[in-house]
Amino acid sequence: MKTESITNVKTTQETTAVKAFGTDAADAPLQPMNIQRRQPTPHDIEIEILYCGVCHSDLHTARNEWHGTTYPCVPGHEIVGRIVRVGDHVKKFKVGDVAAVGCLVDSCRECQYCQDDLEQYCENGFTGTYGSPDKHLGGQTYGGYSESIVVDEAFVLRVPDHLDLAATAPLLCAGITTYSPLRHWNVGPGQKVGIVGIGGLGHMGVKIAKAMGATVIVYTTSPSKVEDAKRLGADDVVLSKDKEQMKKYAGQLHFVLDAVSAQHDINAYLNLLRVDGALVLVGAPELPLPVAAFGLIPKRRTFAGSMIGGIAETQEMLDFCGEHNIVSDVELIQMDQINEAYERLLKGDVKYRFVIDMASLKG
Ligand code: NAP
Ligand code: ZN
Ligand code: ZN
């Protein structure tokens, strides 16, 4: 890392150049680049990144599939690292502590939602870990595919002591994105819950719903995941391409969590819900998903969405995972394997989350 002054920003201030991996265009591969990190302000923490998970949202964003990406884009919002510097007013953390950062690095902190610990729904727009306006330096924020990051302590999380650090990284997005709706819809004992799409999010959904006491039915398009899903905790597994198998729980499920990243027939899953059941979409495919009115009306079904989780709830999720010994099943990769990892992610060929060993970026 090297300290320098930069002037292409809102204020002229000292920044540090750090190594990162990112892309300059939707159709370009990710490659090494340098980015600037601010010097820690009194409330900031500087974290040397040890591990960063690879979320499908990183791929959607890098390739501009949601049509809002500003380049250069440095993805990564499942960050675990070690604190190397703290500002003078930092109270909750000290140098040497392990710390984590998820999808949010700031919000307005004043609106009704921020006051209610729902920063992910901030009325004035939260600051995402990557691709949001950077309040300090101008330009935009850069994510965790990098050597280090500087974050206000209010948005930094604690990692339970005994959890494996690489396998903890995916909890910061895949974990909280599945935990939050499962909690909000009060999933628990006596309920049958469907989890659709067993990728990074889905496999965490299985583990967390099971730990909450629900009976868990997995819906997968991949025959190779059937046995595995049981190992992850599923009570039953349905191959979703098989129409006969899809009839098994029709009208019986209390809750369905849909974590599919691509186009698929949502009505097939609405049909699984009992009266007053809810299907919550967390997967974010590029194109709209048609919903049949008569998939919703006759059983007073709910079709809803949910986005990540607030900071307090993310800490609650980490503590819950600590208590239940839940981490992600990960495949550790080197930074320069990221383009290959994206191609495999598109094929559903990961069990179940790629995590980048950031030591490989230092070289
Ligand atoms: P992932 O690891 O790639 O998993 C997606 C899974 O969807 C695949 O493993 C596969 O599961 C299934 N799938 C893929 N293509 C399919 C197709 N054509 N038809 C049916 N099923 C298919 O992705 P992820 O990181 O878990 O993310 C999943 C989605 O959630 C992404 O769209 C991501 O952007 C979004 N996301 C949303 C939030 C939020 O706040 N709401 C947060 C994070 C991510 P099977 O092999 O089991 O079928
Ligand atoms: Zn994510
Ligand atoms: Zn707010």
Side-chain angles (χ1 to χ4, degrees):
M1 292 184 218
K2 129 169 164 275
T3 303
E4 51 189 60
S5 290
I6 52 170
T7 48
N8 61 334
V9 291
K10 210 162 58 181
T11 52
T12 302
Q13 60 168 289
E14 287 265 294
T15 58
T16 303
V18 304
K19 286 184 190 169
F21 236 73
T23 179
D24 287 315
D27 56 359
L30 274 73
Q31 57 190 13
M33 53 177 63
N34 281 330
I35 55 168
Q36 305 294 330
R37 295 295 191 198
R38 66 180 182 267
Q39 297 296 308
T41 67
H43 292 283
D44 278 342
I45 287 177
E46 182 176 326
I47 299 167
E48 177 197 10
I49 301 175
L50 299 173
Y51 299 104
C52 185
V54 178
C55 179
H56 206 114
S57 301
D58 300 351
L59 187 161
H60 288 306
T61 307
R63 298 188 177 179
N64 200 22
E65 289 173 359
W66 294 331
H67 312 290
T69 306
T70 307
Y71 295 94
C73 164
V74 174
H77 56 206
E78 294 183 337
I79 299 169
V80 168
R82 197 166 291 283
I83 296 177
V84 290
R85 263 201 293 181
V86 296
D88 291 344
H89 295 167
V90 168
K91 294 196 178 66
K92 291 191 301 185
F93 298 90
K94 60 180 191 316
V95 170
D97 287 353
V98 168
V101 177
C103 306
L104 308 172
V105 290
D106 209 347
S107 67
C108 85
R109 309 186 197 198
E110 285 170 359
C111 73
Q112 56 175 321
Y113 300 120
C114 285
Q115 306 245 328
D116 287 345
D117 292 326
L118 294 168
E119 300 90 351
Q120 74 275 34
Y121 304 119
C122 174
E123 279 184 326
N124 298 305
F126 64 78
T127 306
T129 305
Y130 59 83
S132 281
D134 185 327
K135 289 182 190 169
H136 296 263
L137 297 180
Q140 60 162 341
T141 53
Y142 295 118
Y145 297 3
S146 59
E147 281 179 288
S148 66
I149 192 165
V150 178
V151 181
D152 188 301
E153 73 166 327
F155 286 76
V156 176
L157 289 313
R158 287 193 175 286
V159 175
D161 282 345
H162 57 286
L163 296 183
D164 177 82
L165 296 186
T168 295
L171 302 184
L172 276 302
C173 176
I176 184 59
T177 302
T178 50
Y179 181 90
S180 183
L182 289 167
R183 262 281 172 268
H184 184 75
W185 272 270
N186 295 313
V187 163
Q191 295 187 357
K192 282 202 187 85
V193 169
I195 307 280
V196 187
I198 306 305
L201 265 58
H203 95 291
M204 290 311 308
V206 174
K207 293 184 185 203
I208 292 170
K210 193 68 198 162
M212 287 175 173
T215 298
V216 177
I217 322 295
V218 155
Y219 291 85
T220 181
T221 59
S222 306
S224 72
K225 294 179 185 172
V226 171
E227 278 315 304
D228 240 16
K230 292 188 181 150
R231 177 182 58 78
L232 295 171
D235 295 281
D236 200 1
V237 185
V238 171
L239 263 181
S240 51
K241 285 178 176 162
D242 182 330
K243 287 210 163 71
E244 277 308 304
Q245 286 194 37
M246 283 299 283
K247 290 182 186 159
K248 187 167 178 190
Y249 294 99
Q252 291 184 37
L253 304 188
H254 296 80
F255 183 85
V256 173
L257 188 70
D258 182 331
V260 175
S261 55
Q263 294 320 112
H264 60 293
D265 179 16
I266 203 82
N267 301 295
Y269 300 102
L270 285 170
N271 285 336
L272 301 174
L273 295 172
R274 51 189 284 135
V275 170
D276 287 335
L279 186 156
V280 177
L281 190 65
V282 288
E286 182 178 357
L287 299 172
L289 301 168
V291 173
F294 288 97
L296 288 171
I297 292 170
K299 286 194 159 49
R300 198 165 58 184
R301 290 163 170 147
T302 299
F303 180 38
S306 180
M307 190 163 65
I308 49 175
I311 294 300
E313 194 175 43
T314 304
Q315 189 61 63
E316 178 188 306
M317 175 277 308
L318 284 166
D319 296 343
F320 176 91
C321 288
E323 213 175 290
H324 294 269
N325 272 315
I326 294 174
V327 285
S328 178
D329 286 27
V330 303
E331 180 175 335
L332 208 59
I333 61 166
Q334 309 289 299
M335 189 70 254
D336 62 7
Q337 292 175 290
I338 189 69
N339 294 302
E340 188 193 323
Y342 277 13
E343 291 310 309
R344 285 184 52 198
L345 201 57
L346 280 175
K347 290 189 235 150
D349 175 24
V350 51
K351 287 184 175 167
Y352 283 90
R353 196 56 135 190
F354 291 118
V355 171
I356 309 160
D357 179 355
M358 293 314 306
S360 63
L361 182 58
K362 296 212 171 85

